[in-house]
Amino acid sequence: MKDLNAALRASATAKHKAFSEKLIPTVAPETILGVPMPALRKLAKGIDRSFLADLPHVTYEENILHSLLINGLPAEEALRAMDAFVPYLDNWAVVDAIDPRAFYKGDYIEDYIRLMKSPAPYGRRLGIVLALRHVKEDPERLMNAVEAAESGHYYVDMAMAWFFAEAALYEAEAVLRRLEEGTLPASVHKKTIRKIKESRRVPPAVKARVRALQ
């Protein structure tokens, strides 16, 4: 695409910019144009992969486009692209947009665990969110890895809680045991209980046991 910046600005709205600024407080407001996700998905289809080498990007939307391009890569290329992108991750939305389709065709659990050990908090969040999406492939192994991840950063702790709420759909007893024994960091423990209570997918019996832990 010859003039990506012009295309992005043409798709932006003041309303969506204001919405995004509130939703993603860690991003500098001046870097947010206000382009809705459907428009970004459409634009991503016309961008060459060479865009992935153009780091760092200037706008939040360019970072979202970067994530969307990664999603269409073969697994090994996606892994390399993610590793190169980690130093530039600065918000949950760009991280959570990364969901390579190729990862659903193989076992990349070791790679998620490796990312969880990243010194960069959003690198850790990326590993945890990928583990969440693939938790049913090996719940216990991934639960152990997430539990061992360095916590303390708000968006990492939120990802950990989200992960355990998802894991409760597959291994409820293992999640409940961790909550009952208090093995999770205090912030993650509290957020996990809240996430499970808010979930529309966790069975009522599991929610009842979680409420008793408050």
Side-chain angles (χ1 to χ4, degrees):
M1 186 174 293
K2 288 186 177 180
D3 197 341
L4 178 59
N5 186 265
L8 286 169
R9 292 183 183 279
S11 300
T13 69
K15 181 178 180 181
H16 196 77
K17 175 177 170 61
F19 170 76
S20 297
E21 287 176 4
K22 292 180 181 179
L23 192 65
I24 317 158
T26 61
V27 177
E30 63 271 19
T31 69
I32 298 176
L33 300 176
V35 183
M37 183 60 82
L40 289 170
R41 293 190 185 280
K42 184 175 181 179
L43 286 170
K45 295 178 181 178
I47 299 175
D48 188 85
R49 290 182 183 180
S50 61
F51 176 76
L52 296 173
D54 188 23
L55 287 168
H57 300 304
V58 176
T59 66
Y60 159 75
E61 281 81 3
E62 288 174 297
N63 283 322
I64 288 287
L65 289 172
H66 197 111
S67 295
L68 296 177
L69 286 181
I70 287 174
N71 293 345
L73 297 175
E76 294 305 317
E77 288 184 39
L79 288 168
R80 289 194 294 272
M82 286 192 306
D83 286 341
F85 198 25
V86 163
Y88 304 97
L89 297 175
D90 63 359
N91 69 88
W92 67 265
V94 169
V95 169
D96 294 7
I98 299 174
D99 186 16
R101 293 185 288 277
F103 288 0
Y104 292 89
K105 301 176 182 179
D107 181 357
Y108 299 95
I109 289 176
E110 280 300 318
D111 294 291
Y112 313 150
I113 294 173
R114 176 177 57 79
L115 283 164
M116 287 181 216
K117 298 176 181 178
S118 171
Y122 289 104
R124 296 198 298 277
R125 181 179 173 101
L126 175 57
I128 294 165
V129 171
L130 290 170
L132 180 156
R133 293 183 176 129
H134 297 270
V135 63
K136 64 181 179 180
E137 295 171 17
D138 196 337
E140 190 63 32
R141 183 179 172 197
L142 286 169
M143 280 189 281
N144 289 337
V146 172
E147 186 174 5
E150 181 183 342
S151 61
H153 185 283
Y154 177 79
Y155 289 102
V156 172
D157 290 1
M158 286 298 293
M160 292 172 77
W162 182 21
F163 169 87
F164 283 110
E166 185 73 14
L169 300 174
Y170 305 97
E171 292 289 345
E173 289 301 324
V175 174
L176 288 166
R177 183 180 70 250
R178 286 171 167 83
L179 293 173
E180 289 167 352
E181 296 177 356
T183 61
L184 299 178
S187 175
V188 176
H189 178 98
K190 184 177 180 180
K191 289 177 173 64
T192 299
I193 289 176
R194 190 180 79 204
K195 287 283 188 183
I196 289 175
K197 287 169 57 182
E198 293 173 350
S199 175
R200 296 182 180 181
R201 301 165 65 207
V202 174
V206 175
K207 289 187 177 185
R209 288 177 62 182
V210 164
R211 289 191 185 96
L213 297 173
Q214 291 182 305

